Amino acid sequence: MAGGPGNSRVRSVPVTEPDIAQPTSEHADASPDAISEAVSRVWGFDALRPMQSSAIAAGVEARDCLTVLPTGGGKSLCYQVPPLVTGRATVVISPLIALMRDQVRGLELNGYAAAAIHSGVELDDARDILRRLTLGELHLLLVAPERAVNPGFKSFLASLADAGRLGAIAIDEAHCISQWGHDFRPEYRRIAELREVAPGVAMQAFTATATPRVRDDICRQLGLRDPEVLVGTFDRPNLTYRVQARRDAAEQTADAIRRHERTGDSGGTIVYCLSRKDTEELAENLRSQGVDAEAYHAGLSEKTRRDVEHRFSNESLDAVVATVAFGMGIDRSNVRLVVHATMPKSVEAYQQETGRAGRDGEPAECLLLYNPTDATRWERLIRMGNAEMGADADATQAQLGLVREMRRVIAGMGCRHRVLSEHFGQPYCPPDGALTCGACDVCLGETEPVRDAQRVSQIIMSAVARTDQRYGAVHIADLVRGADTERLRSAGHTGLPLYGLLREHRKPALLSYIDQLVSAEALERFVDGHFETLRFGPEGVGVMKGERVIQLARPAGTGTAKSERRRKSAALAEPLSLEDKRIFEALRALRKEIAMDRNVPPYVVFSDATLRELARSRPATPGAMLEIKGVGNAKLEAFGDAFLGVLNAPA
Ligand code: ADP
Ligand code: ZN
C-alpha cells in the first residue's frame, strides 16, 4: 500500500458532525467517578493529571482559584470538564483569538458543545450563541477580553448567572493582567468588573508563567476570594534545551531541522526573531537552505497571516519565522523544534515561547542562538519603548532586571532544566532517579569544559584590571585574542603584554567565558551612560589570587564532530520500527485528508502520540481502539472505521 490509504477508504469517513450531547443541570453528578467517566468518554484519557483533579474540583465546587501549569500541562481540561458534570456553563476569557476556533472545533469533534465570540464573529451568530447559552445548549463559551467587558455582554452574564446557568468565569493567560508579567495587556484589568455583575460565580485564573510576585498580583487584580493557588511542575521533561553561540542563524536552524527530519519526525518548527525585518531575512535564508519556511508578523496582511497559520497548522508548511510579539497566534501541538534566533527578553518569555514545543508530550527541542549583544539590543529597545510610552522608572528597571536574569540563566553552564525550575522557585530532580536530566546540552556533554579554566579566567580578569575597568566585553575579548582593531590600536592596547595571550580561543567562546565570569560574580557589568563596562565583582580578587577556581565551559556551536553526533541521538521520540513507521505515515495521510475535509488542523483529529500508539499496537476492533489514549466515544464513532480500515489493510 504505497503512498498512504486508498481513496475509497477516505470516502467512507462520515462527513456529518457527531451528535453533540447537550448540557442539562437536572441530572448533574459531580462525584469524582462522574468526572473520570466524562474525561474518559469525551477525551479518551484514562487519568487526570494531579493538578487537573484539584483545579476541576475547585471548578465543580465553585471556588475561586489560580492554576499555574506550564504550557502543555493541560489547563484547558480544567475549565472544560466542570460544565459536563455540573450542567452549568463556563465562560472563558482568552486573548488568543486565533486559537479559539481550533479549540471549539476540537471540542465539537469530541461531541462537546462549545462556541467562541470575538471580532471575527458576525452579530447574528453571536446572538445565536448567547441564545443557546441561555437555553443550556452550550457547555463552554470562549470570549475575547474586550468583548467580555462591554456593557451588553456584562448584562447578559448577569442574567445567565441569575438563571443559574453560569458555573464559572475562567481567565486564560491570566498573567496578562500584571505589569510584572512579561505580556501586560491593560484591557485585562477590566476583567475584574465581571465579579460585580456575577458575584456568586467562581472566578478561575489560569497561566503558564507566574513568579510569586505575578501570582499575587493576579489574585489581587482579579479580586479572587480566598483563592486556592495550584502550582504545577514547571519542568517540561520532554523538552531538550540547547544554547549555542550564534554564528549563522539560518544555517544553525537548518541543521537542527535536518537532524529532526533524519529521524522521520513530522513536526513543525517555530523560529522566533526580534524584529519583522529579521523574520523576513531569516525566512528567505532558510528557504535558500531548502527549508519550507514563511515569515509571520504583525506587518503582514490579515489574509497572508491567516494563510500562514492555516498552512502551518494543517502541516503543509514546515517552519514559521515569527516575531515574539506575534507568535501567540501560531498553534500546533506537534511542534518539534522551537528556535530563538535572538535571546528572549525574560526567562518568563522564554518558558512561554519554548512551551509551544512538544505540547503533545512527545520529545521536542528548544534551541537558543545567543550573542551577548542581544542583551544590549533588548536594553536599548526597552529604554526607548518606555521613554515613548512615558512609563515610570520602576517599570523600566523591572524589565531591565528581567533581561539581566535571562542573561544569567544562559551564561551559567549548569543543567538547563535545573536552572529554569529554580528560576520558578522549584527544586529540580531528574526524572526516574537519573543523575542528570539527559535532555540539555550541558548534561548531554555537548558543552566542553575548558581545560585551563583558571589561566583563562585570570587573563581575562587581568585584561579588565590593566585597562582600568573602563571597557566592555567585546573590547576585552578582542584584546586577549589579539585582534587587529582600530579601537585597540588607538587605546594603545596592542602593546600590552596580555595582548593575544588567548589567541587560540574564538571570539564567541571568549564572550561566553566573560558571561560566565559575570554569572559567577568574578566580574560585574556596569552601565555608564549608554556604555556597558566590566569591573571586578565580589569574587574577583579571590579568582585573581587563585583562591577560587571557576569552571568554564565552551558553549555548543563551537563544538566538534563527535559532540555533533552525540547531539543527534538526543531529543527524539523512541523510534518506530520500519513497519510501524509505514503504518504511522498511512495514518497521518488519512488524518490529513479528514482534517482537510472538515477544515480543521490535523492534530485536532488525533495527536501524533495517538497515531504513534495506534501504529504500535494496531487495534483490530473498535473496542481495542477505544483503549488508545486520545480516542473517545465521539471520535471512535466518527473516524473509527476509517482508521481501523488503514490499520487492518493488507500491506
Ligand atoms: P495548556 O493549555 O496547558 O497548554 P492543553 O490543555 O492544550 O495545555 O493540553 C496539552 C495537551 O495535553 C493536549 O494535547 C491535551 O489533549 C493533553 N492532555 C491534557 N490533559 C490530559 C490528560 N489528563 N491525559 C492525557 N493527555 C492530556
Ligand atoms: Zn540538564
Side-chain angles (χ1 to χ4, degrees):
M1 193 186 60
N7 275 335
S8 56
R9 208 166 287 119
V10 173
R11 250 180 264 118
S12 74
V13 174
V15 286
T16 52
E17 296 297 332
D19 282 342
I20 301 218
Q22 301 198 345
T24 50
S25 41
E26 282 74 49
H27 308 293
D29 173 3
S31 65
D33 282 352
I35 292 172
S36 331
E37 189 278 326
V39 168
S40 150
R41 171 172 43 88
V42 177
W43 287 273
F45 298 150
D46 29 319
L48 286 170
R49 297 170 179 162
M51 224 42 78
Q52 287 178 324
S53 308
S54 314
I56 290 170
V60 167
E61 293 156 22
R63 284 179 279 123
D64 283 3
C65 81
L66 167 64
T67 305
V68 188
L69 275 177
T71 310
K75 284 182 288 298
S76 17
L77 216 60
C78 301
Y79 55 71
Q80 290 163 351
V81 170
L84 289 177
V85 297
T86 63
R88 283 191 294 272
T90 298
V91 169
V92 187
I93 296 158
S94 164
L96 306 179
I97 296 181
L99 308 187
M100 286 184 186
R101 182 179 159 275
D102 288 347
Q103 185 172 157
V104 169
R105 296 290 284 145
L107 285 169
E108 283 176 352
L109 283 183
N110 280 329
Y112 180 115
I117 296 186
H118 50 73
S119 50
V121 175
E122 301 285 334
L123 199 61
D124 279 352
D125 292 334
R127 270 203 207 104
D128 188 52
I129 289 170
L130 298 185
R131 189 186 55 80
R132 287 166 62 208
L133 264 177
T134 317
L135 294 176
E137 291 178 9
L138 284 176
H139 297 300
L140 196 75
L141 172 68
L142 294 157
V143 57
E146 56 282 1
R147 290 286 153 135
V149 297
N150 87 18
F153 190 82
K154 276 162 61 179
S155 62
F156 169 77
L157 267 193
S159 64
L160 199 64
D162 285 346
R165 290 265 181 226
L166 184 60
I169 297 171
I171 298 108
D172 204 5
E173 311 289 343
H175 57 275
C176 296
I177 204 167
S178 172
Q179 68 157 328
W180 307 111
H182 57 93
D183 197 20
F184 175 49
R185 294 162 184 243
E187 76 270 19
Y188 248 65
R189 288 273 158 92
R190 293 193 53 203
I191 296 173
E193 297 168 15
L194 301 180
R195 170 83 338 135
E196 292 151 31
V197 301
V201 171
M203 278 198 149
Q204 306 195 304
F206 295 88
T207 179
T209 45
T211 46
R213 182 184 211 172
V214 174
R215 241 176 257 161
D216 293 345
D217 205 23
I218 292 173
C219 294
R220 204 178 37 247
Q221 298 281 352
L222 283 173
L224 299 188
R225 287 184 294 232
D226 190 17
E228 185 167 357
V229 179
L230 301 165
V231 183
T233 310
F234 271 90
D235 185 53
R236 298 276 315 275
N238 62 321
L239 301 187
T240 293
Y241 297 102
R242 296 200 156 88
V243 180
Q244 291 183 1
R246 184 170 65 242
R247 286 172 281 109
D248 176 332
E251 196 185 299
Q252 286 167 285
T253 303
D255 277 354
I257 292 175
R258 272 182 224 117
R259 193 167 6 103
H260 282 261
E261 273 170 1
R262 274 195 294 269
T263 60
D265 98 36
S266 63
T269 298
I270 302 178
V271 187
Y272 286 111
C273 294
L274 203 150
S275 72
R276 294 178 190 183
K277 192 165 140 274
D278 292 353
T279 65
E280 305 265 353
E281 275 175 21
L282 186 52
E284 180 67 47
N285 290 338
L286 281 172
R287 284 195 292 270
S288 70
Q289 302 249 1
V291 175
D292 179 24
E294 293 284 357
Y296 183 88
H297 56 73
L300 297 170
S301 74
E302 171 89 18
K303 186 175 164 304
T304 311
R305 278 185 341 230
R306 282 258 171 83
D307 177 61
V308 172
E309 275 164 23
H310 191 69
R311 284 196 290 138
F312 187 65
S313 63
N314 75 18
E315 301 191 3
S316 39
L317 171 67
D318 294 337
V320 171
V321 188
T323 51
V324 284
F326 215 65
M328 274 190 145
I330 317 169
D331 191 39
R332 177 161 158 182
S333 73
N334 64 347
V335 169
R336 293 274 80 84
L337 175 66
V338 166
V339 179
H340 279 87
T342 317
M343 181 189 91
K345 66 177 172 189
S346 66
V347 184
E348 284 72 19
Y350 181 64
Q351 172 85 1
Q352 177 152 59
E353 286 145 19
T354 52
R356 297 190 183 115
R359 290 180 67 136
D360 53 8
E362 301 272 301
E365 174 178 353
C366 308
L367 172 63
L368 170 51
L369 304 176
Y370 168 66
N371 184 303
T373 55
D374 293 349
T376 331
R377 207 170 152 199
W378 273 120
E379 285 159 8
R380 207 174 45 236
L381 283 173
I382 289 169
R383 287 214 170 82
M384 263 164 40
N386 284 4
E388 259 167 41
M389 284 185 351
D392 59 44
D394 273 2
T396 308
Q397 282 313 316
Q399 288 171 25
L400 293 176
L402 296 178
V403 174
R404 260 196 309 280
E405 175 65 6
M406 182 70 220
R407 199 169 179 179
R408 194 188 66 77
V409 160
I410 294 181
M413 283 289 167
C415 170
R416 316 263 177 217
H417 280 271
R418 178 180 305 277
V419 75
L420 285 170
S421 287
E422 288 175 354
H423 171 85
F424 291 105
Q426 298 186 332
Y428 175 74
C429 299
D432 307 326
L435 287 177
T436 71
C437 78
C440 80
D441 50 357
V442 177
C443 294
L444 290 168
E446 294 167 8
T447 54
E448 288 172 47
V450 175
R451 263 177 295 112
D452 49 351
Q454 184 171 17
R455 172 176 165 267
V456 171
S457 310
Q458 287 175 339
I459 292 174
I460 292 173
M461 307 279 304
S462 308
V464 172
R466 288 298 301 269
T467 55
D468 300 327
Q469 313 192 66
R470 284 173 45 217
Y471 292 86
V474 171
H475 190 86
I476 297 295
D478 282 343
L479 168 57
V480 296
R481 75 188 180 99
D484 182 22
T485 73
E486 178 51 37
R487 282 191 68 205
L488 283 169
R489 276 194 303 269
S490 63
H493 290 167
T494 48
L496 290 174
L498 291 159
Y499 181 74
L501 271 187
L502 295 178
R503 91 168 24 90
E504 72 277 20
H505 295 268
R506 295 173 59 182
K507 185 165 172 174
L510 287 168
L511 289 171
S512 166
Y513 302 154
I514 292 174
D515 274 345
Q516 294 173 48
L517 289 169
V518 172
S519 181
E521 301 190 324
L523 290 173
E524 245 172 35
R525 287 179 222 280
F526 177 70
V527 181
D528 181 11
H530 282 291
F531 294 104
E532 190 181 83
T533 60
L534 291 170
R535 60 185 190 187
F536 271 46
E539 299 290 331
V541 175
V543 172
M544 282 308 281
K545 286 189 179 162
E547 290 162 2
R548 191 168 166 218
V549 179
I550 291 164
Q551 303 298 333
L552 298 177
R554 194 200 318 276
T558 49
T560 58
K562 189 163 136 244
S563 60
E564 280 291 318
R565 265 200 310 278
R566 258 205 311 267
R567 206 176 311 157
K568 242 184 283 170
S569 57
L572 304 166
E574 197 179 317
L576 292 169
S577 72
L578 221 58
E579 176 59 11
D580 293 352
K581 174 99 177 78
R582 186 187 65 76
I583 296 189
F584 175 78
E585 286 305 327
L587 296 173
R588 222 183 127 215
L590 172 62
R591 174 177 74 173
K592 188 161 182 185
E593 301 233 11
I594 294 177
M596 279 173 46
D597 221 37
R598 294 177 171 242
N599 196 21
V600 294
Y603 70 83
V604 164
V605 177
F606 282 130
S607 70
D608 280 11
T610 302
L611 291 196
R612 224 182 288 270
E613 229 184 299
L614 283 170
R616 280 210 182 98
S617 62
R618 293 185 222 158
T621 62
M625 187 164 164
L626 203 53
E627 297 285 299
I628 304 273
K629 201 156 115 187
V631 183
N633 285 338
K635 283 189 181 172
L636 181 72
E637 186 110 329
F639 316 130
D641 285 350
F643 279 89
L644 286 169
V646 170
L647 285 165
N648 298 298

